[in-house]
């Protein structure tokens, strides 16, 4: 096997290099994490930017086989926040100097929905004197809709590819027009062309997923020059079809560890992008997000969805912080990030440097 230090000094990683890095343990793993930490410090500093996350509706027209809020799950209590509730949450973020928010929902389409988002964007811009940066995470939409939202002030868009391996993608989604891999890719291209800071991501430790797939995911992110990434461990949900494969999964600790390695490797490969410490990490390890921050992540998305709705936005089992309110999350995170020797960049947008320089 190649010496890890020799791989870590390379300008670019091959597929084999990445697979080797995904397998490191012990002192070699320490080397990987130290290198990622160093790159993070040099290119994006020891800073963490907040994105206040508003999960404004769990109504979804999709049926992804892994997701707890999929359309065909009858046990979900469906909700849709009112405009006032959404704007109150945005105001909380503004007043607490989060500087950025994320509006996330199940996937809905149509004129009513797109106009509602445009109107909300107008009002968010107004209440924050055009200073809040808004990320949208509302799934696949037409190019016109993406453009309309961009024109109304959204500047970042998140659309995870979930897996960049087309065959694996179809094992995770129903085989129909509504769940097309090609459409997903086309949407990402449209988002990028329109001028959004573009974010994607994958799940790690999925059934049928190999180390080769994970390495290819990172190479694919680099090849499309992505600006922002959110990756998290796959966590099984009892009310989903993929739950039947739970006995074939990697142990949960291994999925956690692989996620940290993926973040560290990506930080070295794409030095100036924004990488989120996903909430899913925290549901495995109480200090999961802080560990991710130490080795490369620089974004945290504190949940600012009003407390009473959080229990109903369960994409996976054991989602953390569902009993908290936004104030509790804020003080809890302040302590946690200080523990990770990072500073919270209150009042700073934290735009993707990769995007600004492209
Ligand atoms: N485990 C982990 N992540 C999940 N997501 C959805 N379901 C699960 C799950 N069971 C992630 C998907 C989606 C994001 C909003 O949540 O990657 O894009
Ligand atoms: Fe939500 Fe700690 S981050 S309670």
């Amino acid at each position: 096997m190649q010496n890890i230090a020799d791989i870590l000094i390379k300008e670019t990683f091959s597929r084999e290099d990445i697979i080797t890095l995904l397998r490191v343990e012990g002192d070699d793993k320490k080397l990987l994490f130290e290198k990622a930490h160093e790159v993070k410090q040099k290119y994006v500093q020891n800073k963490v930017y907040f994105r206040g996350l508003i999960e404004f509706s769990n109504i979804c027209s999709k049926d992804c086989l892994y997701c707890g809020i999929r359309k065909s799950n009858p046990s979900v209590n469906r909700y849709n926040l009112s405009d006032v509730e959404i704007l109150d949450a945005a105001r909380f973020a503004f007043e607490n100097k989060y500087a950025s928010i994320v509006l996330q929902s199940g996937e809905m389409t149509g004129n009513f929905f797109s106009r509602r988002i445009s109107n909300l964007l107008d009002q968010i811009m107004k209440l924050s004197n055009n200073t809040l940066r808004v990320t949208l995470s509302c799934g696949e939409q037409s190019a016109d809709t993406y453009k309309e939202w961009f024109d109304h002030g959204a500047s970042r868009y998140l659309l995870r590819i979930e897996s960049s391996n087309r065959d694996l993608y179809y094992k995770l989604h129903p085989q129909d027009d509504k769940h097309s891999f090609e459409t997903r890719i086309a949407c990402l291209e449209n988002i990028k062309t329109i001028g959004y800071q573009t974010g994607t991501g994958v799940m790690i430790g999925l059934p049928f997923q190999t180390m080769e797939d994970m390495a290819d995911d990172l190479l694919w992110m680099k090849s499309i020059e992505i600006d922002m990434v959110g990756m998290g461990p796959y966590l099984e949900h009892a009310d989903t079809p993929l739950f039947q494969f739970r006995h074939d999964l990697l142990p949960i600790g291994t999925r956690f560890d692989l996620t940290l390695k993926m973040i560290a490797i990506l930080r070295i490969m794409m030095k100036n992008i924004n990488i989120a410490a996903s909430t899913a990490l925290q549901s495995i390890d109480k200090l999961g997000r802080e560990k991710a921050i130490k080795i490369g992540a620089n974004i945290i998305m504190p949940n600012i969805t009003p407390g009473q709705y959080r229990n109903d936005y369960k994409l996976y089992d054991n989602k953390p912080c569902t009993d908290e309110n936004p104030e509790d999350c804020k003080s809890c995170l302040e302590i946690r990030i200080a523990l990770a020797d990072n500073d919270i960049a209150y009042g700073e947008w934290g735009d993707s440097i990769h995007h600004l320089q492209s």
Side-chain angles (χ1 to χ4, degrees):
M1 201 167 94
Q2 263 208 73
N3 188 315
I4 296 304
D6 290 341
I7 296 180
L8 290 173
I9 54 169
K10 288 189 185 180
E11 273 299 310
T12 49
F13 294 155
S14 67
R15 190 180 196 226
E16 286 63 41
D17 292 337
I18 298 174
I19 294 168
T20 305
L21 292 173
L22 286 171
R23 294 212 162 101
V24 288
E25 291 301 336
D27 284 347
D28 284 344
K29 185 162 91 175
K30 245 178 101 189
L31 277 184
L32 166 65
F33 287 171
E34 277 167 12
K35 171 79 182 186
H37 174 81
E38 219 174 89
V39 171
K40 177 183 168 186
Q41 224 167 356
K42 180 160 172 205
Y43 289 86
V44 291
Q45 282 89 49
N46 273 351
K47 280 190 183 180
V48 177
Y49 299 95
F50 274 180
R51 316 300 191 212
L53 174 63
I54 310 171
E55 298 161 332
F56 69 90
S57 172
N58 64 358
I59 301 169
C60 192
S61 61
K62 287 273 185 92
D63 243 337
C64 306
L65 305 178
Y66 45 83
C67 183
I69 63 165
R70 64 199 298 272
K71 179 175 171 225
S72 300
N73 181 2
S75 3
V76 180
N77 178 23
R78 303 285 168 179
Y79 72 85
N80 192 359
L81 259 62
S82 68
D83 286 3
V84 171
E85 286 170 315
I86 297 172
L87 295 171
D88 282 349
R91 196 171 295 106
F92 170 88
F94 173 60
E95 287 170 355
N96 285 279
K97 302 201 164 32
Y98 281 19
S100 302
I101 59 171
V102 181
L103 291 181
Q104 188 174 77
S105 67
E107 198 169 298
M108 287 173 272
T109 48
N111 285 344
F112 181 80
F113 182 70
S114 54
R115 265 192 242 118
R116 179 180 187 212
I117 300 294
S118 296
N119 175 45
L120 281 166
L121 286 165
D122 291 345
Q123 299 199 55
I124 291 167
M125 291 305 139
K126 199 164 146 204
L127 72 83
S128 69
N129 311 317
N130 286 318
T131 63
L132 263 184
R133 283 276 201 267
V134 183
T135 307
L136 294 176
S137 177
C138 303
E140 294 169 17
Q141 304 287 339
S142 68
D144 286 348
T145 299
Y146 286 142
K147 177 77 170 74
E148 177 183 325
W149 293 343
F150 186 78
D151 291 341
H152 282 263
S155 53
R156 308 174 182 144
Y157 205 98
L158 292 176
L159 183 65
R160 287 191 180 180
I161 191 73
E162 317 297 358
S163 168
S164 64
N165 175 333
R166 190 179 180 280
D167 292 339
L168 179 53
Y169 188 91
Y170 281 113
K171 290 187 180 138
L172 310 173
H173 297 93
Q175 311 259 347
D176 60 27
D177 287 354
K178 261 198 106 47
H179 299 82
S180 148
F181 180 76
E182 283 67 29
T183 304
R184 193 87 158 182
I185 297 278
C187 282
L188 278 165
E189 284 167 0
N190 287 337
I191 290 165
K192 195 150 196 231
T193 309
I194 289 166
Y196 283 100
Q197 294 176 49
T198 306
T200 193
V202 293
M203 285 178 282
I204 296 157
L206 287 157
F208 320 114
Q209 192 184 35
T210 64
M211 294 274 191
E212 285 73 17
D213 291 329
M214 295 177 210
D216 288 341
D217 285 340
L218 298 184
L219 290 167
W220 172 80
M221 286 172 197
K222 183 150 171 78
S223 75
I224 63 162
E225 288 288 337
I226 204 74
D227 302 308
M228 330 185 285
V229 172
M231 303 184 273
Y234 165 68
L235 299 166
E236 58 273 36
H237 188 298
D239 297 332
T240 61
L242 229 53
F243 194 63
Q244 63 187 294
F245 302 110
R246 64 192 173 283
H247 303 300
D248 308 328
L249 298 172
L250 291 169
I252 196 124
T254 311
R255 279 179 260 163
F256 179 85
D257 213 43
L258 274 170
T259 305
L260 290 188
K261 289 175 187 168
M262 289 280 279
I263 291 175
I265 299 167
L266 185 66
R267 172 58 70 203
I268 302 169
M269 291 171 67
M270 301 191 75
K271 299 181 175 9
N272 59 4
I273 63 170
N274 281 342
I275 304 180
S278 70
T279 311
L281 277 170
Q282 194 191 343
S283 64
I284 301 181
D285 178 331
K286 281 200 163 55
L287 288 174
R289 288 188 297 189
E290 294 69 22
K291 288 181 181 168
I293 297 259
K294 277 203 160 169
I295 54 90
N298 65 334
I299 302 289
I300 281 200
M301 293 159 61
N303 199 331
I304 55 168
T305 309
Q308 73 268 31
Y309 297 107
R310 291 191 190 187
N311 251 319
D312 298 318
Y313 202 85
K314 284 215 170 135
L315 308 174
Y316 41 81
D317 288 334
N318 303 319
K319 191 175 169 210
C321 299
T322 49
D323 298 332
E324 316 295 335
N325 64 43
E327 284 292 353
D328 293 340
C329 260
K330 181 169 182 260
S331 38
C332 164
L333 277 169
E334 283 172 355
I335 299 166
R336 288 160 168 276
I337 290 163
L339 284 176
D341 290 330
N342 268 248
D343 293 322
I344 302 171
Y346 281 118
E348 291 181 45
W349 284 322
D351 284 321
S352 165
I353 299 173
H354 180 270
H355 184 264
L356 297 175
Q357 291 180 352
S358 64

